[in-house]
Amino acid sequence: MTAYYNEIDPYAAQWLRNLIARGHIAAGEVDERSIEDVRPDDLRGFTQCHFFAGIGGWPLAFRLAGWPDDRPVWSGSAPCQPFSAAGEGLGFADERHLWPLYFHLIKERRPSEIYGEQVAAAAKWLILVRSDLEALGYAVGAMPIEAASAGADHFRDRYFFMGHANGSRKLQPERPIAKQWGRPAHDGLRSMVDAPGFGWGEGWTEHEFRSRGFAAAVASIDGCQYVECPDGKWRRLPPPRVRWLGNGIPARVAKLRALGNAIDPRPAAAFIRAAREAIE
C-alpha cells in the first residue's frame, strides 16, 4: 500500500475502496476520520497522501498525467462551501474552512509536492494558501482553469495550485496552457461570438466572465450558452444552478452529492503536466 486517503463521508470512502479494488487508483488505506483527528505520525510510511479525497479525482488525475503510484505527492481540495457562490458566504468564519488543519499536517510532514484546487471565486483563500506555503519555503504556482478547456462539457471553473519544496521562486509555465493543448485560433468563430445578436446570456456578462479568469470563448444563442472547446467545437452548457434529480438511479442522492463534491480529473491532469514541465 503506497497511498493514504482521508475522506469523512462513508459513501465516498467506500467508493474509494471500490476504485482501489478495481485498480483504478493507487492501492492504499482509506481513513474515514475527520482531518482534525489525523496526526502527522499517522502518515508515516505512505508515499502519497490524498486529503478530502472524495471519489478519487486527484489520484486519477495523477495517473492521467503519467505520475507513477510510487512517486511522492500530496493532494487536497479543501471544502469549497465557505467560498462558493452557492454557499452561505461565511468565508474564513465557516467551520468548514479546513485549510488550517491541512496546513498543520503539511508543516509537520513537509511533502515534496502538493496539489489542490478551490472554486474560482476564492481568491482570498488562495492568497492565504500561497502565503502559508511560501512561508515554509515552497515555490507556489496557481492558475484558473475551466474544465471545458480540458475537454469537458461544463465549466466547473477552479483555481488549481501546487507547491514544490525544492526552491523559492514562483512557478509560471512558459506558454499558455491552452496553446499546450494545441487549441487553434478559430478567428471566424471568435468574430461570431462578438456579434451583437449573440449577447452573453442572462447572468453572464463578458466582464463577469473575464473577471473570473475564464479564457475560452463563450456565446449565447436563444438563451442557451455555448463554450468553445480545445478541439474547435462549440458545446452547449447546462443552465446555471441546475439540480439533476437522477430519477430511478439507486442511491442517487448520495451519488450526486459525491459527484458534486468531486473534481474533474481532466483539467487537474493538464495542470499537473504543466507544473511538472515548469519545474523540470
Side-chain angles (χ1 to χ4, degrees), residues 72-94:
V73 72
W74 278 29
S75 77
S77 295
C80 66
Q81 289 86 350
F83 308 97
S84 173
E88 298 178 3
L90 297 179
F92 298 115
D94 196 307

Side-chain angles (χ1 to χ4, degrees), residues 201-214:
E202 183 179 355
W204 283 93
T205 65
E206 181 176 3
H207 174 72
E208 291 169 337
F209 181 80
R210 301 302 175 196
S211 67
R212 299 182 71 179
F214 295 144

Side-chain angles (χ1 to χ4, degrees), residues 243-263:
R243 297 292 180 263
W244 293 350
L245 298 179
N247 189 31
I249 301 175
R252 62 184 180 273
V253 174
K255 288 179 180 176
L256 290 174
R257 183 173 64 246
L259 289 168
N261 289 330
I263 73 163

